[in-house]
Amino acid sequence: MVKKGDDNVFWRSFIEDRDGFIYVIITKTDGYYLGRFTYDLQLEKISTIKMDRDSFISFFEDTIYINQEDKNIVVLNKKDLSLLEEIKP
């Protein structure tokens, strides 16, 4: 083992390495969230809403597309992982 962090990463989470950060789904006591980590495995930001634990993580310019807990697609601000928009089918 080279490094170990203190946060629980969901074991089937997609892992995205973008712009000097690592993006993964993390487990908290009340659900799953998108977390952004430094390369030292320090949690730098966490999403403001719960995510679907099996969601794919997609990036476009300054936004992130991901499924929230109810499976609807949401658009997050890449800067602070806050909710910008919800896309309902």
Side-chain angles (χ1 to χ4, degrees):
M1 182 180 333
V2 176
K3 290 184 183 179
K4 181 179 179 205
D6 296 326
D7 299 278
N8 292 322
V9 173
F10 178 60
W11 69 278
R12 286 191 322 241
S13 177
F14 286 94
I15 299 170
E16 288 288 334
D17 182 352
R18 295 276 176 143
D19 304 320
F21 293 102
I22 301 166
Y23 293 83
V24 296
I25 300 296
I26 59 173
T27 304
K28 293 290 187 185
T29 56
D30 65 336
Y32 301 90
Y33 294 85
L34 178 64
R36 180 170 67 206
F37 289 82
T38 65
Y39 287 139
D40 290 329
L41 303 182
Q42 297 300 311
L43 181 61
E44 199 264 336
K45 289 282 180 194
I46 188 170
S47 63
T48 56
I49 59 172
K50 294 178 189 176
M51 299 296 150
D52 175 40
R53 67 185 190 177
D54 297 312
S55 182
F56 186 75
I57 306 165
S58 254
F59 293 81
F60 179 73
E61 296 178 352
D62 292 332
T63 58
I64 299 170
Y65 290 77
I66 191 167
N67 294 97
Q68 67 182 359
E69 189 175 42
D70 64 4
K71 308 278 195 235
N72 286 330
I73 299 168
V74 291
V75 183
L76 303 180
N77 182 334
K78 193 165 78 170
K79 180 179 179 181
D80 62 5
L81 304 185
S82 63
L83 178 66
L84 293 176
E85 181 181 354
E86 183 176 344
I87 301 171
K88 293 187 178 184

